């Protein structure tokens, strides 16, 4: 599915490039007969000019901006812009010069032309080649787009670092408690020991391998959460009531890894106290490509809330980057309960 999305994006990019280059032919600025030399030269110049602007967009985006503009080499960058503009304006006129013969009628009819300042202003604009405006627009757009992509890359790297930090937090704390529980079960020679070893093995395999991808199968993510709940349940007392349900078909859908896990981990971190009645309810469902996640817990442990706030902030940032306008997160909290309701449009 990820490959299909990339192919569709490439198709749209190619289509946009073709339409931009052929825009003078598809939407000509003035009517004319293509067999006429002046009309053929005019269209050819505009097509070549658009192609040169696209070429310079790539040069500016991939080389000039990162190598010159963002390294504060403003003089070199300005000179490149100047010579680039000269190439875009002069090269098409050199290759397709205006042929001899009567030129096409330009501007409004004589009886509609105005005298004075406005007629002079109209003449100035009519003489300025539209390629100059397209070139200037290209420079501003490529700079804006580069800055936007740069900020997104920085944000993604920041999130990767925070996600790695989250994984390192899971390793020692959770693994130590789970191994102790399995060890106690093995001493008692309980039948669930071998099953718990397999569940822990699958849990760690996902954490160390699959979760480093940009996207994972939704069914693997749900299975990971299920394994976590099973491992936690195996070591908790009867004072803790845990409900985990899943509904719908999760196959074939992709999701950003561990984006639900922070809420589940917080539910066990702050919703479990052996000396109090604790309750955790987790429900995950999927219908028509919409993931519906619901997590409820009673607050029975309010220590170390700072790390919880960091984890929630990280998850909110990841949601805003990977699912912009495609998710709805509602968190309700009071003195006794913490409720999370999250919907994500995965398709």
């Amino acid at each position: 599915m990820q490959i299909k999305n990339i192919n569709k994006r490439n198709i749209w990019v190619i289509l946009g490039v073709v339409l931009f280059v052929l825009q003078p032919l598809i939407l000509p600025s003035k009517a004319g007969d293509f067999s006429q030399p002046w009309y053929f030269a005019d269209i050819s110049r505009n097509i070549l000019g658009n192609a040169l602007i696209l070429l310079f967009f790539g040069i500016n985006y991939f080389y000039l901006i990162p190598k010159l503009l963002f390294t504060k080499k403003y003089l070199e960058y300005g000179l490149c812009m100047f010579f680039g503009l000269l190439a875009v304006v002069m090269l098409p006129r050199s290759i397709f010069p205006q042929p001899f013969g009567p030129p096409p009628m330009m501007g409004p009819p004589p009886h509609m032309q105005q005298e004075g300042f406005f007629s002079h202003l109209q003449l100035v604009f009519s003489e300025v080649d539209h390629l100059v405006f397209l070139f200037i627009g290209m420079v501003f757009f490529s700079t804006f787009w580069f800055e936007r992509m740069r900020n997104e890359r920085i944000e993604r790297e920041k999130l990767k670092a925070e996600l790695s930090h989250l994984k390192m937090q899971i390793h020692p704390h959770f693994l130590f408690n789970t191994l102790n529980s399995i060890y106690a079960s093995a001493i008692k020679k309980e039948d669930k020991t071998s099953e718990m070893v397999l569940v822990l093995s699958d849990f760690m395999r996902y954490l160390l391998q699959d979760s480093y991808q940009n996207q994972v199968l939704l069914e693997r993510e749900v299975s990971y959460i299920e394994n976590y709940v099973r491992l936690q349940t195996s070591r908790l007392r009867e004072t803790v009531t845990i409900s985990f349900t899943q509904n719908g078909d999760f196959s074939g859908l992709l999701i950003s890894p561990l984006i639900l896990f922070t809420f589940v981990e917080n539910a066990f971190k702050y919703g479990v106290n052996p000396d109090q009645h604790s309750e955790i309810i987790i429900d995950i469902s999927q219908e028509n490509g919409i993931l519906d996640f619901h997590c409820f817990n009673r607050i029975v442990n309010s220590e170390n809330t700072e790390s919880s706030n960091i984890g929630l902030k990280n998850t909110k940032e990841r949601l805003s980057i990977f699912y912009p306008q495609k998710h709805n997160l509602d968190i309700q909290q009071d003195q006794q309960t913490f409720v999370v309701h999250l919907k994500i449009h995965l398709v």
Side-chain angles (χ1 to χ4, degrees), residues 122-323:
Q122 182 185 36
L123 179 62
V124 171
F125 277 103
S126 66
E127 290 178 351
V128 174
D129 199 305
H130 77 283
L131 291 176
V132 176
F133 293 104
L134 285 178
F135 183 88
I136 295 174
M138 176 277 301
V139 172
F140 280 105
F141 178 75
S142 59
T143 306
F144 163 78
W145 195 253
F146 181 89
E147 180 66 19
R148 178 180 176 180
M149 293 295 102
R150 177 173 173 267
N151 289 336
E152 287 191 6
R153 285 194 297 268
I154 293 174
E155 197 65 32
R156 284 192 175 93
E157 291 301 322
K158 175 184 175 184
L159 291 176
K160 285 181 181 179
E162 292 176 347
L163 187 60
S164 298
H165 179 67
L166 171 64
K167 294 173 184 176
M168 294 304 297
Q169 286 182 323
I170 296 172
H171 280 233
H173 175 77
F174 175 74
L175 185 59
F176 178 78
N177 291 334
T178 303
L179 287 176
N180 275 344
S181 176
I182 293 177
Y183 175 73
S185 176
I187 291 179
K188 297 177 183 179
K189 298 182 179 180
E190 296 179 345
D191 296 335
K192 67 176 183 179
T193 304
S194 59
E195 179 185 356
M196 288 298 98
V197 171
L198 291 177
V199 171
L200 179 61
S201 175
D202 188 58
F203 176 87
M204 297 304 298
R205 183 182 300 109
Y206 178 85
L207 186 64
L208 296 174
Q209 296 180 3
D210 297 355
S211 64
Y212 282 91
Q213 303 176 26
N214 292 329
Q215 287 186 309
V216 296
L217 290 172
L218 177 60
E219 55 188 329
R220 284 288 294 152
E221 180 76 6
V222 174
S223 175
Y224 169 75
I225 294 175
E226 181 181 12
N227 287 338
Y228 179 80
V229 173
R230 291 176 64 185
L231 291 171
Q232 289 280 23
T233 305
S234 66
R235 68 181 186 84
L236 295 175
R237 302 177 185 177
E238 296 180 355
T239 56
V240 182
T241 302
I242 300 175
S243 173
F244 177 78
T245 57
Q246 46 182 306
N247 299 283
D249 183 14
F250 301 117
S251 60
L253 295 173
L254 298 173
I255 189 173
S256 180
L258 300 178
I259 208 158
L260 306 176
F261 182 76
T262 299
F263 304 117
V264 177
E265 185 192 33
N266 283 346
F268 281 93
K269 184 182 295 184
Y270 305 110
V272 173
N273 189 330
D275 300 326
Q276 301 182 37
H277 173 65
S278 307
E279 183 180 9
I280 296 176
I281 301 174
I282 301 171
D283 179 74
I284 305 176
S285 61
Q286 188 280 133
E287 185 177 2
N288 298 325
I290 300 177
L291 176 68
D292 197 323
F293 172 80
H294 182 273
C295 185
F296 165 90
N297 69 273
R298 297 187 185 278
I299 300 177
V300 294
N301 185 2
S302 59
E303 297 179 359
N304 298 324
T305 57
E306 182 178 355
S307 60
S308 173
N309 293 334
I310 294 175
L312 291 176
K313 180 182 178 182
N314 172 266
T315 301
K316 290 178 181 178
E317 290 178 351
R318 295 179 66 209
L319 284 169
S320 65
I321 290 178
F322 296 117
Y323 301 101

